[in-house]
Amino acid sequence: MYIALFAIFCAGIGNFAMHRAFMESDDPLVQQMVKPMADRVGPNITYVFEYLLLVGAMAIATRNWFTALMVYGLYTIFNAMAFSWVMNRPK
């Protein structure tokens, strides 16, 4: 269980780094997706959502470590694929 918690935490650090790079990019697609929600709720609401996903995955890992590790791992993989697509696509 402790190894799963550590792996989820490390993946969470990577997810936060990718999320910050998304938010600081000048990509019009990212700005178009985030701006309506940021105007209504606040500019940092997406960081709160990312944090809640991490805490939820770590809480689930205390009960069923394998499921939490696989689900958060898949989330991290899809996040990395989206990150690489957005950052490397032609503007």
Side-chain angles (χ1 to χ4, degrees):
M1 175 183 77
Y2 294 112
I3 294 172
L5 285 172
F6 181 72
I8 290 171
F9 181 75
C10 289
I13 291 171
N15 282 329
F16 270 100
M18 287 184 280
H19 186 83
R20 183 174 179 182
F22 270 131
M23 298 303 286
E24 290 179 356
S25 73
D26 292 334
D27 191 86
L29 179 64
V30 174
Q31 298 303 322
Q32 181 183 358
M33 289 188 311
V34 174
K35 188 159 176 49
M37 185 172 52
D39 287 344
R40 278 189 237 134
V41 184
N44 296 325
I45 191 64
T46 56
Y47 291 106
V48 172
F49 181 70
E50 189 77 39
Y51 176 75
L52 291 175
L53 282 173
L54 175 61
V55 169
M58 292 178 83
I60 292 170
T62 61
R63 304 269 192 245
N64 190 352
W65 65 269
F66 185 75
T67 303
L69 189 61
M70 291 299 115
V71 170
Y72 200 73
L74 284 172
Y75 168 71
T76 302
I77 289 169
F78 287 130
N79 196 16
M81 288 176 7
F83 176 76
S84 65
W85 177 73
V86 168
M87 293 302 165
N88 294 319
R89 70 186 179 92
K91 304 284 185 222

